[in-house]
């Protein structure tokens, strides 16, 4: 049965998350390998215009499910609508971004379908017996497990920044299927009272290509401005180690590590971070790591690609100036 | 108010991970602790108990006999009693099976609120609590930073990417605790003594009217591996201005990441 691969397209107010484009790009490669169609599934309100965009990233089909009740994400309404669509079309696999929404939606959906789920995967390979085999970090990246799912659909949430986004091709067109949302009243028990998005000009930590992170060596909350200045010149997100968060210098949502966020940027700049094992667990899969620390014995130097033994209060502003010069 | 907290025993977050000769995760000599996120769930349950006279906090866990030490610690923090599902016939427990077992165990006891950690730091799946809510037919709010109970409804503030969201749900409901929800207390000597006398009921699958054969896992691990160790790279020396200039140049021209 050529039921193919589904990509759940996460969108907020008509804007598609980068991880969904990453999944479409990799989904295209996997679908070709399987010789099956790639289907993008979009839930929301006033989202029909997004169909052309997902087609340009390689989707053969787009299933659009529009409803007032899907305007903002809620666990129940999204699970209900996606579950009914999955029952109807019986896809072989469903790939979802491992975002706040994906982490909430995927387990609900998997339990309702009575199937397994591979969370936060960093590798997807075609498998002869079980459709896909998923590689996923465990113990916050201190080890990996290769996981297969015994029934279909094989569902996984994929870590942002795992796959590159392919160049879109506007000449590619997809078959658009419009489905009505069938939402069980029992799934509408939660009421969203308020959504507070903190306005930021910086990229989201888990999707950022570059992260500038500060630890105990920052010495106080007032000093984060020097990291922010560097971040803004190179388009980076700002992160922190547990030591800085526990000291109350920066909010917990910026914490990178085993009890914070796990990130995988192209470049991770660690300033004043010693490199405790639980921090390394959260950023060890970064492509290039830079360490700036005045302690030459700091553990972070054992895995940094580039290291500067020095005072971050001197080095970071100088680095900011260098990048300004380079433009 | 009847409050249930799901509990998992995990490796200490400082633990180094090694594989056994047969390729599985080696737990030999590893310090075991209560999953750190479950501590936030326990603390929140205890705060609710203190604010609502006549409340009880029941811990529910699935695991081997070793899990008893984590449960005793949570009882010493102030939980009233515990249920541990432990069965020698239970082998590969995936998230689907764990949620089904917890649902069967919790269905036998009264509950208004179920609290769990948002993720276990060992397998890092962040699935079981949400699956449990689905198995029990309850609403859930993931990754909460704040919880307020009024009568038969709860208002919770949860983390979302780029901000937060406030959600109202009717009880009973499941909530998963994020760091920042509270500051977990440490068990005192009095609590540790009291914990020894508290009830820890150990149930088998037969007690839950099920069996290992009836519980079908949805996924299985085919192999484990360790990450390729990174090695130390270049240390850039010189005066600070030279170091900064050299680093900027290397990131542009050698690493090509900026």
């Amino acid at each position: 049965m050529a039921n193919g691969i589904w990509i759940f397209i996460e969108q907020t107010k008509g804007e598609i998350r980068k991880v969904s484009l990453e999944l479409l790009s990799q989904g295209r490669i996997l679908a070709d390998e399987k010789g099956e169609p790639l289907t993008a599934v979009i839930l929301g309100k006033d989202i029909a215009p997004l169909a052309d965009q997902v087609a340009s990233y390689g989707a053969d089909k787009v299933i659009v499910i529009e409803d007032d009740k899907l305007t903002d994400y809620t666990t129940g309404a999204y699970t209900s609508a996606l579950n009914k669509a999955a029952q109807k079309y019986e896809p072989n696999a469903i790939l979802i971004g491992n975002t706040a929404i994906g982490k909430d939606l995927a387990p609900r959906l998997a339990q309702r379908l009575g199937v397994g789920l591979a969370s936060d995967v960093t590798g997807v390979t075609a498998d002869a017996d079980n459709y896909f085999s998923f590689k996923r970090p465990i113990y916050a990246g201190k080890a990996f497990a290769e996981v297969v799912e015994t029934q279909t659909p094989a569902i996984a949430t994929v870590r942002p920044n795992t796959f590159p986004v392919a160049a879109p091709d506007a000449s590619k067109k997809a078959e658009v299927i419009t489905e009505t949302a069938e939402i069980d009243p029992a799934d509408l028990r939660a009421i969203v009272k308020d959504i507070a998005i903190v306005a930021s000009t910086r990229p989201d930590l888990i999707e950022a290509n570059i992260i500038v992170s500060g630890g105990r060596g920052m010495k106080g909350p007032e000093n984060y401005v020097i990291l922010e200045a560097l971040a803004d010149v190179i388009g980076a997100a700002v992160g922190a180690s547990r030591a800085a968060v526990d000291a109350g210098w920066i909010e917990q949502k910026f914490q990178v590590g085993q009890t914070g966020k796990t990130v995988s940027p192209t470049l991770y700049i660690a300033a004043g971070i010693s490199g405790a094992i639980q921090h390394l667990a959260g950023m060890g899969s970064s492509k290039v790591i830079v360490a700036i620390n005045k302690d030459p014995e700091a553990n972070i130097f054992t895995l940094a690609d580039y290291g500067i033994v020095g005072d971050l209060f001197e080095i970071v502003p100088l680095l900011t100036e260098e990048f300004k010069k380079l433009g | 108010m009847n409050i249930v907290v799901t509990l998992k025993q995990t490796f200490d977050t400082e633990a180094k991970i090694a594989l056994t000769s047969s390729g599985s995760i080696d737990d030999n000599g590893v310090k075991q602790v209560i999953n750190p996120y479950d501590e936030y769930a326990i603390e929140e349950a205890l705060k609710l108990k203190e604010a609502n006279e006549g409340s009880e906090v029941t811990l529910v866990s699935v695991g081997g006999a070793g899990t008893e030490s984590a449960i005793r610690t949570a009882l010493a923090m102030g939980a009233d009693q515990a249920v541990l599902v432990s069965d020698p016939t239970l082998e590969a427990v995936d998230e689907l099976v764990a949620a089904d077992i917890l649902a069967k165990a919790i269905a036998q006891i009264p509950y208004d609120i179920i609290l769990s950690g948002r993720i276990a730091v060992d397998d890092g799946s962040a699935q079981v609590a949400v699956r449990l809510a689905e198995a029990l037919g309850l609403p859930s709010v993931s990754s909460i930073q704040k919880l307020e109970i009024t009568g038969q409804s709860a208002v919770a503030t949860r983390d979302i990417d780029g901000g937060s969201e406030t959600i109202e749900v009717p009880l009973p409901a499941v909530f998963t605790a994020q760091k920042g929800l509270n500051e977990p207390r440490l068990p005192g000597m009095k609590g540790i003594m009291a914990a020894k006398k508290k009830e820890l009921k150990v149930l088998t699958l037969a007690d839950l009217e099920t069996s290992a054969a009836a519980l079908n896992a949805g996924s299985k691990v085919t192999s484990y591996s360790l990450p390729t160790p990174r090695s130390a790279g270049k240390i850039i020396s010189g005066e600070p201005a030279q170091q900064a200039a050299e680093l900027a140049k290397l990131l542009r021209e050698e690493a090509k990441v900026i």
Side-chain angles (χ1 to χ4, degrees):
Chain A
M1 281 217 296
N3 293 349
I5 300 164
W6 276 17
I7 307 297
F8 170 75
I9 304 298
E10 185 178 331
Q11 58 84 29
T12 317
K13 303 203 188 314
E15 194 165 327
I16 296 176
R17 291 287 298 258
K18 185 177 138 219
V19 65
S20 299
L21 302 179
E22 293 167 8
L23 294 183
L24 278 172
S25 306
Q26 185 67 18
R28 183 68 265 161
I29 296 167
L30 292 163
D32 287 341
E33 216 171 308
K34 289 278 183 185
E36 294 185 16
L38 179 70
T39 303
V41 185
I42 319 177
L43 283 70
K45 175 73 184 160
D46 301 329
I47 44 162
L50 300 179
D52 283 346
Q53 193 187 346
V54 298
S56 72
Y57 286 94
D60 300 303
K61 298 179 189 182
V62 184
I63 298 175
V64 175
I65 310 175
E66 279 207 75
D67 196 288
D68 286 344
K69 296 183 190 75
L70 301 171
T71 306
D72 291 320
Y73 171 80
T74 62
T75 316
Y78 268 60
T79 306
S80 216
L82 197 52
N83 172 58
K84 293 221 170 116
Q87 302 258 16
K88 179 172 172 181
Y89 291 99
E90 300 180 328
N92 285 324
I94 306 176
L95 302 181
I96 300 172
N98 192 48
T99 60
I101 286 176
K103 283 184 237 185
D104 188 57
L105 173 65
R108 271 272 172 184
L109 179 69
Q111 187 73 15
R112 195 164 294 188
L113 290 165
V115 299
L117 164 64
S119 301
D120 195 19
V121 309
T122 56
V124 183
T125 43
D127 185 84
D129 300 328
N130 300 288
Y131 202 76
F132 279 150
S133 182
F134 300 103
K135 184 178 188 179
R136 54 180 309 270
I138 54 172
Y139 298 92
K142 288 184 239 174
F144 291 93
E146 199 66 36
V147 176
V148 295
E149 293 177 26
T150 49
Q151 295 128 304
T152 55
I155 311 180
T157 60
V158 180
R159 178 177 293 188
N161 279 342
T162 296
F163 300 117
V165 177
D169 177 352
S171 70
K172 286 186 182 168
K173 296 291 171 224
E175 176 195 347
V176 178
I177 303 160
T178 307
E179 280 287 327
T180 48
E182 286 180 56
I183 300 169
D184 278 328
D187 277 320
L188 294 172
R189 286 173 291 183
I191 303 159
V192 177
K193 309 273 281 186
D194 184 41
I195 296 175
I197 297 294
V198 182
S200 173
T201 51
R202 298 192 190 102
D204 189 75
L205 199 51
I206 59 166
E207 287 193 330
N209 281 324
I210 307 176
I211 295 172
V212 179
S213 213
R216 198 187 300 277
M218 294 304 295
K219 294 192 176 143
E222 66 282 4
N223 297 326
Y224 270 84
V225 290
I226 71 162
L227 288 191
E228 288 163 4
L230 172 59
D232 290 341
V233 169
I234 55 177
V238 171
S241 72
R242 186 167 85 180
V245 171
D246 286 354
W249 300 343
I250 185 163
E251 283 176 79
Q252 201 270 326
K253 65 180 179 188
F254 295 106
Q255 184 184 325
V256 172
Q258 190 157 11
T259 53
K261 296 202 163 66
T262 306
V263 297
S264 192
T266 310
L267 172 62
Y268 189 90
I269 301 178
I273 290 177
S274 62
I277 188 165
Q278 80 93 27
H279 185 75
L280 305 184
M283 44 63 81
S285 62
S286 305
K287 196 169 152 229
V288 173
I289 296 171
V290 170
I292 302 166
N293 202 301
K294 65 180 179 189
D295 174 12
E297 301 299 316
N299 192 43
I300 190 84
F301 287 119
T302 63
L303 81 167
D305 300 283
Y306 301 104
I308 292 181
V309 178
D311 181 358
L312 74 92
F313 295 102
E314 268 187 279
I315 303 290
V316 172
L318 285 166
L319 198 54
T320 307
E321 288 310 312
E322 285 298 327
F323 285 121
K324 271 188 194 160
K325 267 195 261 172
L326 292 166
Chain B
M1 197 185 293
N2 291 297
I3 308 156
V4 170
V5 181
T6 65
L7 186 82
K8 186 178 188 183
Q9 180 168 272
T10 61
F11 283 20
D12 186 89
T13 56
E14 299 294 322
K16 288 205 165 68
I17 304 297
L19 300 183
T20 63
S21 54
S22 61
S24 59
I25 301 290
D26 190 355
D27 61 2
N28 197 15
V30 174
K31 186 184 166 198
Q32 305 272 351
V33 297
I34 298 174
N35 173 41
Y37 289 93
D38 294 352
E39 291 186 353
Y40 302 117
I42 298 162
E43 177 63 33
E44 200 63 16
L46 297 176
K47 282 168 67 180
L48 286 171
K49 174 185 151 99
E50 285 157 6
N52 296 276
E53 209 176 315
S55 296
E56 285 209 324
V57 176
T58 306
L59 308 165
V60 180
S61 187
V62 180
T67 309
E68 286 190 22
S69 74
I71 292 173
R72 287 290 171 206
T73 306
L75 289 170
M77 285 171 75
D80 297 289
Q81 62 229 339
V83 175
L84 170 63
V85 182
S86 187
D87 195 304
T89 63
L90 202 53
E91 281 172 10
V93 178
D94 76 336
E95 299 85 354
L96 176 60
V97 168
D100 283 343
I101 294 171
L102 285 171
K104 285 178 198 300
I106 293 170
Q108 295 189 341
I109 57 178
Y111 57 84
D112 301 296
I113 294 171
I114 301 173
L115 285 156
S116 305
R118 76 158 182 91
I119 191 169
V121 298
D122 49 6
D123 58 30
S125 283
Q127 290 185 29
V128 173
V130 180
R131 284 179 175 272
L132 170 64
E134 177 66 23
L136 291 170
L138 302 179
S140 59
V141 187
S142 298
S143 198
I144 64 165
Q145 288 274 11
K146 197 175 164 197
L147 179 62
E148 277 171 15
I149 308 292
T150 316
Q152 278 307 298
S153 86
V155 175
T157 301
R158 81 179 202 99
D159 269 3
I160 56 172
D161 295 329
S164 63
E165 182 177 56
T166 304
I167 296 175
E168 183 178 337
V169 286
L171 298 180
V174 175
F175 303 92
T176 77
Q178 166 67 313
K179 185 177 177 183
L181 178 63
N182 52 45
E183 205 49 61
R185 67 195 68 188
L186 292 169
M189 192 44 74
K190 210 173 136 194
I192 293 167
M193 297 309 289
K196 291 179 182 163
K197 298 191 193 90
K198 290 178 179 171
E199 186 187 16
L200 194 173
K201 198 191 282 181
V202 181
L203 300 179
T204 61
L205 293 179
D207 293 324
L208 299 175
E209 291 169 13
T210 188
S211 66
L215 296 161
N216 290 312
S219 60
K220 62 178 184 212
V221 175
T222 52
S223 66
Y224 293 101
S225 60
L226 295 176
T228 320
R230 296 182 82 110
S231 49
K234 250 177 223 172
I235 293 288
I236 302 161
S237 53
E239 290 302 307
Q242 291 172 314
Q243 289 174 309
E246 178 69 8
L247 176 60
K249 188 165 172 261
L250 287 166
L251 290 176
R252 280 218 150 186
E253 292 169 15
E254 188 179 83
K256 296 187 173 69
V257 289
I258 286 190

